[in-house]
Amino acid sequence: MVSEIEITPCGPITGSIRPPGSKSLTNRALIIAALAEGTSTLTGALESEDTEVMIDSLRRIGVKIDHNAAQHTLTVQGNGGRFAGENIEMFIANSGTSMRFLTALATLGKGKFRLDGIARMRERPIGDLIEALKQLGAAIRTEQDNACPPVLVNAEGLPGGKAKIAGNISSQYLSGLLMAAPYAQGEVELVVDGELVSQPYVRMTTQIMRDFGATMEENDCHRFVIPGQQKYQARPYAIEPDASAASYFWGAAAVSGGKVTVEGLSKDALQGDVGFCEALAQMGCEVDYTPNSVTVTGKSLSGIEIDMGEISDTVQTLAAVALFATGPTKITGVAHNRHKETDRIGDLACELRKLGATVEELPDGMIITPGTLQPARIETYNDHRMAMSLALVGLKQPGVVILNPSCTSKTYPHFFEDLAKICGTA
Ligand SMILES: O=C(O)C1=C[C@@H](OP(=O)(O)O)[C@@H](O)[C@H](O)C1
Ligand SMILES: C=C(OP(=O)(O)O)C(=O)O
């Protein structure tokens, strides 16, 4: 494993790429196919740490999953929501989606389940999800009574009922509840209490649930009524390429003044992160959509003011692009970014300053004023997005070194190879 990588500067980048499958869609499809009756074939699936920990955990509750690496296909034989076990341990590394979705799923079974992860996962909140599951009748708690993993579930099936769920820390709680709800013994009513961050991910959840045959009543992403004792229907399902991963290639076009096409995504993609292109358009880039591709052409860039609450995984990408703009960029609406793989406000500000920018940290974002760029050794805090986004700066500025580059294995194990290929520096 290499301990650091120096990014090779290059000219305007032109080319096209199809990034690996969406993490969010792969992990949702796995949960739903695991609960379905019958065999589902998931094509275009992501193969990375976040999906491996999901697959490993589902296998522990008796779901059969075959992986065809050459075809990026997962074949899942669902257990119909019937699973039992004594002291089943799930190790989830630092995958927020897996931790939150599997916590909700575990309440549907019978027996004792323990969900744990790496040290950072033990700092990532899960208390609001635990409280909502308790309201639905689950026997569940955190091991240290600190509202963070490890999570202990003493499952007897999920009775159902009405639950309020806070949405200001993470939308993944609501997504986890929604996907489990059709398998509750009775009807489940979920009401979002206050603000809901990352809303496009909730729309993605309800869409994929419907694609697998579940029904629900939905009121403006605020109230959901899901009849109990439903079954997902197994089916073939094609997974879109990952739009958050695509942001690095669109960002590469923006910073290099090039033209990059991402294949397999469109304006109508299930993933809200295609909205990152609109932020680039606001900065001055040209964006062209077809039904099966999105192309960004880099032009001269201006700083912008933008609320990124719906596309928070692309904040770091936008911050990297902002270093090449005229004037400051103000990002707001992402207080929840402090609870991700690392504090993506404080730690991001620190690394941007090393590259020569002036950064004012806000409670829910930052103001980035570009300065003269300079070489820097970039700390990644074991955050894949810190590595992938700040690598873009090195495409123009010599001497940008990314430390611990293998942290991209969380969602994109071959990122640096793909970047070098499209830059012509491989
Ligand atoms: O539901 C999902 O697939 C995700 C939701 C988002 O998390 P939050 O809801 O915590 O913002 C996002 O950051 C994460 O990468 C994936
Ligand atoms: C926040 C992220 O992941 P998760 O919450 O699923 O760990 C991410 O991939 O940027």
Side-chain angles (χ1 to χ4, degrees), residues 22-25 27-28 50 96-97 100-101 124 167 169-173 175 179 196-199 201-202 204-205 244 273 309 312-313 336-337 339-341 344 384-385 410-411:
S22 157
K23 169 197 81 172
S24 294
L25 286 168
N27 275 358
R28 280 170 176 72
D50 275 15
T97 54
R100 280 74 180 255
F101 301 170
R124 297 183 67 185
I169 303 272
S170 173
S171 69
Q172 293 173 4
Y173 309 151
S175 286
M179 285 187 283
L196 174 63
V197 297
S198 298
Q199 249 195 57
Y201 289 99
V202 176
M204 177 195 289
T205 303
S244 322
D273 277 4
S312 60
D313 283 359
H336 58 298
N337 268 18
H339 304 291
K340 307 229 178 194
E341 283 78 338
R344 286 183 178 167
H384 54 143
R385 302 209 187 282
K410 186 173 189 287
T411 56

Side-chain angles (χ1 to χ4, degrees), residues 152-164:
L152 302 175
V153 185
N154 199 346
E156 271 294 342
L158 189 64
K162 180 172 175 172
K164 278 192 176 175

Side-chain angles (χ1 to χ4, degrees), residues 108-141:
L108 302 173
K110 285 206 180 352
K112 290 195 172 140
F113 304 89
R114 181 175 179 276
L115 298 90
D116 197 3
I118 64 167
R120 174 62 182 170
M121 180 53 90
R122 288 178 166 211
E123 296 172 348
R124 297 183 67 185
I126 195 160
D128 293 327
L129 174 58
I130 306 278
E131 289 315 310
L133 287 165
K134 277 188 190 160
Q135 291 169 51
L136 298 177
I140 183 167
R141 66 180 187 90

Side-chain angles (χ1 to χ4, degrees), residues 71-102:
Q71 312 241 329
H72 308 297
T73 296
L74 295 166
T75 308
V76 184
Q77 262 177 268
N79 63 17
R82 293 175 299 275
F83 56 95
E86 265 318 299
N87 303 321
I88 293 191
E89 292 272 342
M90 297 183 184
F91 180 76
I92 288 166
N94 196 11
S95 170
T97 54
S98 305
M99 178 56 81
R100 280 74 180 255
F101 301 170
L102 286 164

Side-chain angles (χ1 to χ4, degrees), residues 295-414:
T295 302
V296 169
T297 308
K299 304 272 173 187
S300 59
L301 300 165
S302 324
I304 58 172
E305 286 196 15
I306 182 167
D307 180 331
M308 297 190 81
E310 293 211 335
I311 54 169
S312 60
D313 283 359
T314 63
V315 164
Q316 289 143 300
T317 326
L318 196 82
V321 175
L323 301 185
F324 297 89
T326 310
T329 288
K330 181 176 181 183
I331 298 170
T332 56
V334 289
H336 58 298
N337 268 18
R338 295 191 188 272
H339 304 291
K340 307 229 178 194
E341 283 78 338
T342 188
D343 170 358
R344 286 183 178 167
I345 297 179
D347 295 337
L348 175 61
C350 177
E351 299 314 303
L352 294 171
R353 287 183 192 120
K354 283 188 195 164
L355 288 160
T358 304
V359 184
E360 184 189 333
E361 205 179 313
L362 309 171
D364 71 333
M366 58 178 62
I367 303 171
I368 304 160
T369 306
T372 305
L373 285 169
Q374 57 197 36
R377 291 172 66 75
I378 301 297
E379 194 62 62
T380 45
Y381 310 86
N382 208 26
D383 178 0
H384 54 143
R385 302 209 187 282
M386 204 69 92
M388 296 190 280
S389 56
L390 296 182
L392 300 182
V393 183
L395 300 177
K396 297 299 289 177
Q397 167 62 41
V400 174
V401 175
I402 305 291
L403 302 176
N404 182 25
S406 57
C407 66
T408 68
S409 62
K410 186 173 189 287
T411 56
Y412 200 158
H414 301 295

